[in-house]
Structures are given as structure tokens and as C-alpha cells.
Amino acid sequence: MLRAVTKRRGAAAERVKSALAELRRVEVQCQALGLGMELQYCVRPGASHYSGLLVQLCREKQGKGGSRRVDVLAAGGRYDEMVRLFSETFRLAAPAREEAGVAATGISISVDKVV
């Protein structure tokens, strides 16, 4: 679906190309770390507090009667926008100079499911 966008010209195509390149770098790093799991990508709009890549580590689990279910072992992403909004809300004084954007990432691991 995203490859069709990359064939166009403009800002949207450049952003998609950049995102696909970033996903490829993540995939290469996972392989370098010896990750033997299959990587799947799902394109969908994220929540407003995320600023970029969203990550979910999942496993497929056999349920009763042969049904399959997906457990989310960990989830996270980029939180630059949320940090910026909080800093504006709780700022006590005006900034002395133009502040550079803060990069923030986080992930929540469900240890009980991993164990």
C-alpha cells in the first residue's frame, strides 16, 4: 500500500520513503541482534500522543479448541508530541531561547506474559 505512495512526487511521498527506510533499518538491526521472529508491519493512524513509529511485540497463542489468539508482550513508540504538550502546560517561565525539540521514546513490557 505504501509503495504506491512512494511513486508520487511531493512531501507525502518523501515522508513515506523516509518511514520505509527507517523500518528497514529496524529490521536490519533486529536481524543483527539475532531476532528469529517474523516481523510484520501494519499501517494505521496512531493515537495523538504518539509522534512517529509505534511498536508492538506480539505472539500468537493457541487457545482452547484450536483457536488462535494474539498476546501483546510489549508496546511503545515515540512520544515527542506528548512531551512537548506537557512542557508547554507545566512551563513556569517563558523560554529564554528557541528550544530544540525533545526526542522521547518508551516501551511498556508485560513481564508476566513474557515469563
Side-chain angles (χ1 to χ4, degrees):
M1 181 171 87
L2 293 177
R3 298 256 182 236
V5 177
T6 62
K7 294 178 183 176
R8 298 179 185 167
R9 289 194 171 111
E14 292 304 315
R15 290 180 67 190
V16 169
K17 287 177 189 177
S18 174
L20 289 173
E22 188 67 29
L23 286 173
R24 180 67 186 139
R25 282 192 288 273
V26 168
E27 194 171 325
V28 167
Q29 288 299 318
C30 288
Q31 291 169 351
L33 291 170
L35 181 68
M37 295 182 223
E38 176 186 359
L39 296 174
Q40 295 182 351
Y41 305 105
C42 178
V43 179
R44 68 176 97 153
S48 63
H49 56 276
Y50 287 105
S51 308
L53 184 68
L54 304 173
V55 177
Q56 280 189 329
L57 302 175
C58 303
R59 73 173 175 159
E60 199 171 84
K61 185 178 178 181
Q62 287 291 112
K64 294 180 181 179
S67 65
R68 291 186 173 171
R69 157 181 149 189
V70 175
D71 275 345
V72 177
L73 303 177
R78 295 280 307 262
Y79 295 94
D80 303 353
E81 184 65 19
M82 184 173 71
V83 170
R84 186 187 65 77
L85 289 173
F86 276 126
S87 69
E88 287 176 3
T89 302
F90 295 109
R91 183 172 289 129
L92 298 176
R97 58 180 172 77
E98 187 65 32
E99 294 179 357
V102 176
T105 60
I107 191 161
S108 174
I109 300 172
S110 181
V111 177
D112 60 328
K113 291 182 182 179
V114 172
V115 171

